[in-house]
Amino acid sequence: MNFDQSFLNQLSEAKRIVFFTGAGISAESGIPTFRGKDGIWNKLRPEELANFDAFMRNPKMVWEWYNHRKSIIHEAKPNKGHLAIAEMQNHFDEVTVVTQNIDNLHRRAGSKNILELHGNIERNFCIKCKTFYNEELDFSDGVPECKCGGLIRPDVVWFGEYLPQDQFLGGEKAAQNCDMFFVVGTSAVVYPAAGLVYTAKQSGAFIVEVNIEETDVSTICNSSYFGESGKILPAVVEAIKNIRNKN
Ligand code: BJW
Ligand code: ZN
């Protein structure tokens, strides 16, 4: 892998780095992305699945979709991209993962400092009394119900909903205080998450994109590497190891 010199210089100086990740980093684990060639939204309409009104109209259909995705996620394993990000913790003072993914693969790969902007598929809560249900749910009536009679939904962020404030504020803080900000496997079209790329840029971070294709934020990146994150990120780990060995 040929990295440009300005990128390697930044890598050797950087102390605090952020990985802002999206569905693309989990694609090599067999989890479909939303947009792009094989994206979910080519076949299904987000407005019929990923918003609260859709859930209230047809909770059974929305639950079937999440149960299907849960089974894919449970079978999936962290790939070389997730593992490379976890390994960066051995080479930098501070590594923060700010992810839009709900799949837990960063945690399973060993990353410690993770902010989840769009929730987590392992958690569920009652829409009426907000009780959390993280274990097995009873789907015998089609849709799981709380003891209070309210419907239970997955704890993920749908369109039109606010992001969990502590997670988003943590992401903003990390973006404002990092030396390098990696944008990995995200189309960067969903806000306010994508705004973090601009926050990092305005705060003076060196922005690096890793994606199989150009995105809406490519033009503001200092370096862009096009290819699979499972190939490029391990090469970044090798590059930092070489730099550290020489010093
Ligand atoms: C690889 C690869 C490999 C593939 N290696 N790379 C008009 C303008 C601006 C904003 C809005 C607007 N109208 C509405 C909005 C707001 C809306 C929004 O941003 N919409 C735009 C899409 C138009 N945002 C919201 O509603 C958010 N909330 C909000 O704004 O609250 C304020 C508010 C409150 C009340 C009233 C009004 C406002 C919430 C957004 C929630 C997003 N939720 C989802 C579902 C989560 C749960 C679930 O998973 O089921 O989050 S949608 C979906 O998109 C999911 C993702 O996290 C998110 C981002 O997608 P991501 O991760 O970027 O994936 P893809 O598929 O888009 O891209 C994959 C990339 O990987 C591609 O680039 C590939 O090339 C690449 N790739 N293989 C490297 N091997
Ligand atoms: Zn309840």
Side-chain angles (χ1 to χ4, degrees):
M1 187 77 213
N2 274 335
F3 293 116
D4 45 299
Q5 198 53 48
S6 61
F7 169 77
L8 293 172
N9 291 344
Q10 291 292 327
L11 202 65
S12 75
E13 299 289 318
K15 296 208 167 5
R16 286 180 287 205
I17 62 173
V18 171
F19 288 89
F20 173 58
T21 65
I25 193 166
S26 296
E28 290 156 75
S29 294
I31 302 175
T33 60
F34 295 92
R35 300 166 189 83
K37 195 165 63 66
D38 300 315
I40 299 176
W41 297 156
N42 289 330
K43 289 175 235 139
L44 302 167
R45 291 158 60 85
E47 57 272 31
E48 281 174 15
L49 291 165
N51 72 71
F52 186 73
D53 291 343
F55 178 71
M56 291 314 283
R57 264 197 314 272
N58 198 342
K60 191 163 180 283
M61 183 174 76
V62 173
W63 263 116
E64 276 166 9
W65 185 55
Y66 277 96
N67 281 335
H68 168 68
R69 290 174 61 207
K70 250 190 215 180
S71 66
I72 295 174
I73 288 170
H74 279 152
E75 291 299 310
K77 291 193 184 67
N79 64 52
K80 289 178 179 167
H82 299 105
L83 295 168
I85 292 178
E87 198 180 336
M88 305 281 180
Q89 293 170 145
N90 301 326
H91 304 289
F92 296 92
D93 289 355
E94 207 173 292
V95 179
T96 308
V97 177
V98 183
T99 189
Q100 298 165 86
N101 300 345
I102 60 170
D103 60 23
N104 268 312
L105 290 184
H106 284 298
R107 190 164 294 113
R108 285 170 56 195
S111 283
K112 300 274 180 263
N113 193 8
I114 306 169
L115 296 155
E116 294 175 323
L117 300 181
H118 292 160
N120 189 308
I121 201 164
E122 303 275 331
R123 296 189 305 255
N124 313 282
F125 68 92
C126 166
I127 61 170
K128 213 162 144 195
C129 72
K130 314 287 184 241
T131 298
F132 271 84
Y133 288 82
N134 300 337
E135 308 90 50
E136 282 299 297
L137 297 173
D138 176 6
F139 288 96
S140 51
D141 291 328
V143 176
E145 277 184 20
C146 178
K147 290 186 284 289
C148 81
L151 294 180
I152 296 173
R153 61 167 278 182
D155 186 19
V156 298
V157 181
W158 286 327
F159 287 111
E161 295 185 326
Y162 289 105
L163 275 56
Q165 230 205 339
D166 56 337
Q167 304 295 296
F168 186 68
L169 290 178
E172 273 195 317
K173 210 169 147 199
Q176 283 159 354
N177 292 308
C178 66
D179 305 309
M180 287 182 101
F181 188 93
F182 288 78
V183 186
V184 184
T186 175
S187 57
V189 295
V190 174
Y191 283 81
L196 294 177
V197 185
Y198 297 89
T199 303
K201 181 81 182 174
Q202 277 155 15
S203 308
F206 189 91
I207 315 286
V208 186
E209 179 163 57
V210 177
N211 200 304
I212 52 172
E213 59 187 29
E214 284 193 16
T215 69
D216 280 21
V217 296
S218 298
T219 51
I220 69 153
C221 291
N222 299 87
S223 291
S224 291
Y225 295 107
F226 295 111
E228 292 174 332
S229 45
K231 294 210 174 78
I232 294 172
L233 295 174
V236 176
V237 172
E238 285 312 306
I240 187 66
K241 279 187 185 165
N242 283 336
I243 291 168
R244 298 280 191 258
N245 283 340
K246 277 188 204 135
N247 295 342

